[in-house]
Amino acid sequence: MSGEKLRFDKRRLRAMIVKEFSQIRRDPSTFLIALAMPLLLLFLFGYAVSLDISGTRVALVVEDDSGPAAGLTQSYAASPYFNVEIMRDRQTARERMVSSRTRGIIVIPQDFGRVVASGRVPEIQIITDGSQPNMAAFIAAHAQGVFQTWLSAEGMADAPPTPQIEVSSRYWFNPGLRSRYFLVPGAIATVMTMIGTLLTALVVAREWERGTMEAIMATPVSMAEFIASKILPYFLLALASMTLCAVIGVTLFGLPFRGSILALYLLSSAFLLPALGLGLFISSATKNQFVASQMALLTSFLPTFLLSGFIYEISSMPLPIQALTYIVPARYLIPSLQTIFLTGDIWAQFLPNMAVLVLFGLAFFLLSFRVTRRSLD
């Protein structure tokens, strides 16, 4: 192994890859991580996790039986953003919010109809649950919006005048603002991270634990052949899982696919280089499957989930954390996947991201090469 570390022999490489596939076939946990876990994550983010804000539970306390109060009640009940529960007293509404069965309270007071009849602008009370600031702001804004719309329809005195310019809002690429459309591409990136890093982190450590590493190195196999034989099967396995997830995302979840298959596979292949390289580096450095799996989760899955922009917007993070996200490979993949699915092929965005991913991959493979050689020496 000390000389000709980079030589390749097709027969030896093929034999090593066949050996690795045989180990994968005999190991049920590999299939569990490669097939069952991706499907679980995909269905979890496709069905269970939703960031859509609609149907928010609010209590509408109607203390007035007048016609204007009934009209405003109907406006709130017809709003797609609220799931309105109409009640007559504030105490019941307060108890429901304390027990988290409602997120806000809208009160139409007793003199509401009388104030409207006198030509004055009536007032309502909006109470929100401040323990969830974003939800509270959403309820306050939309409740006020429904009220202003109702005032405009009734022609009240200080209702906002009809603007000279009508503003028409349009949402490109995701007109329905469905969170599923950007969560599912992020889930695909998470799946590739899990397979690429977690499974690869176990391969070399498994050889050390079983005592077969010395036997392999006693053969004429070169270091390059050894590393390639540990990478290629999991590269193909990760691409197969990505394909399965993409097909399910389009066919079952209705995700649009406006880009090209070529761009999807090129980006996925570029991302798998750092994912596999990191896993191999961890496996070579730790030589222990349990430690390797823990380190793989800490260094790949958690950063992908928290620091890639998958769930949390990077621009809203503190500046030091934003700087940290630049070393997370998934940061460069997830926006590109979302672009492929929702927008199309934007190569001006894809190519720089792919270049960064390839550089990350080369760095990890170089580290893996050096650590594995040092371990053998």
Side-chain angles (χ1 to χ4, degrees):
M1 292 292 296
S2 58
E4 299 183 1
K5 298 181 178 64
L6 297 178
R7 74 179 188 278
F8 269 100
D9 181 273
K10 293 181 179 178
R11 292 181 57 194
R12 279 199 301 269
L13 180 60
R14 184 167 58 248
M16 291 290 291
I17 291 176
V18 169
K19 166 188 169 298
E20 196 63 34
F21 272 119
S22 299
Q23 285 188 337
I24 292 174
R25 192 175 64 250
R26 289 197 298 265
D27 188 0
S29 64
T30 301
F31 281 100
L32 185 67
I33 297 175
L35 295 178
M37 189 172 291
L39 292 178
L40 178 64
L41 284 174
L42 197 65
F43 280 93
L44 180 66
F45 287 107
Y47 283 124
V49 178
S50 175
L51 302 180
D52 299 336
I53 301 178
S54 60
T56 305
R57 300 188 307 275
V58 296
L60 180 63
V61 180
V62 183
E63 298 177 339
D64 187 22
D65 294 326
S66 65
L72 182 58
T73 301
Q74 185 60 36
S75 296
Y76 280 113
S79 171
Y81 299 106
F82 297 131
N83 181 10
V84 174
E85 186 179 6
I86 301 173
M87 51 193 66
R88 302 296 294 183
D89 64 287
R90 304 187 188 203
Q91 180 61 31
T92 304
R94 188 179 299 112
E95 292 173 355
R96 295 186 71 79
M97 195 159 81
V98 168
S99 60
S100 299
R101 285 178 289 176
T102 186
R103 295 299 178 185
I105 301 173
I106 303 169
V107 180
I108 300 177
Q110 294 177 355
D111 60 346
F112 188 85
R114 188 170 64 253
V115 172
V116 172
S118 66
R120 292 177 291 147
V121 177
E123 293 182 349
I124 62 172
Q125 185 178 25
I126 301 172
I127 305 169
T128 56
D129 183 359
S131 61
Q132 296 187 15
N134 292 335
M135 181 68 73
F138 164 81
I139 293 174
H142 283 275
Q144 189 65 30
V146 171
F147 183 52
Q148 290 295 334
T149 301
W150 180 85
L151 287 176
S152 299
E154 294 294 319
M156 301 304 294
D158 66 346
T162 303
Q164 297 298 317
I165 301 175
E166 183 179 355
V167 179
S168 177
S169 300
R170 294 180 60 191
Y171 299 98
W172 286 13
F173 313 127
N174 185 8
L177 298 180
R178 297 181 180 178
S179 60
R180 176 185 295 177
Y181 281 9
F182 64 87
L183 285 177
V184 171
I188 293 175
T190 306
V191 165
M192 284 196 290
T193 301
M194 292 287 292
I195 296 175
T197 303
L198 182 58
L199 287 182
T200 315
L202 304 177
V203 292
V204 179
R206 184 191 302 131
E207 301 287 0
W208 283 110
E209 286 190 354
R210 292 178 179 174
T212 55
M213 193 66 175
E214 291 82 356
I216 292 175
M217 292 306 154
T219 66
V221 66
S222 68
M223 181 66 71
E225 290 166 352
F226 173 75
I227 290 179
S229 69
K230 295 296 182 186
I231 292 299
L232 287 175
Y234 298 97
F235 179 83
L236 297 176
L237 200 59
L239 285 185
S241 291
M242 182 277 294
T243 304
L244 176 65
C245 292
V247 170
I248 291 177
V250 172
T251 58
L252 191 60
F253 297 131
L255 198 66
F257 186 83
R258 301 189 176 106
S260 66
I261 295 177
L262 174 65
L264 178 64
Y265 278 92
L266 284 178
L267 273 165
S268 300
S269 300
F271 174 73
L272 285 174
L273 293 179
L276 294 167
L278 176 61
L280 194 64
F281 169 67
I282 293 172
S283 190
S284 301
T286 59
K287 303 180 183 178
N288 181 286
Q289 291 189 73
F290 176 77
V291 177
S293 62
Q294 298 302 308
M295 288 190 65
L297 288 174
L298 288 174
T299 57
S300 63
F301 179 73
L302 287 181
T304 297
F305 197 79
L306 299 175
L307 302 177
S308 64
F310 174 32
I311 299 293
Y312 307 106
E313 187 64 33
I314 292 177
S315 60
S316 63
M317 298 177 183
L319 287 178
I321 303 299
Q322 288 189 37
L324 191 62
T325 63
Y326 284 100
I327 62 172
V328 178
R331 174 199 167 104
Y332 305 94
L333 174 67
I334 290 178
S336 300
L337 282 182
Q338 291 169 342
T339 301
I340 288 178
F341 279 97
L342 300 181
T343 306
D345 289 350
I346 310 294
W347 289 101
Q349 176 193 3
F350 297 162
L351 292 178
N353 289 343
M354 290 169 62
V356 174
L357 290 172
V358 170
L359 289 177
F360 272 125
L362 292 176
F364 282 129
F365 279 121
L366 180 61
L367 286 173
S368 305
F369 194 88
R370 292 175 64 89
V371 169
T372 305
R373 185 183 61 183
R374 189 179 302 121
S375 299
L376 292 172
D377 292 342

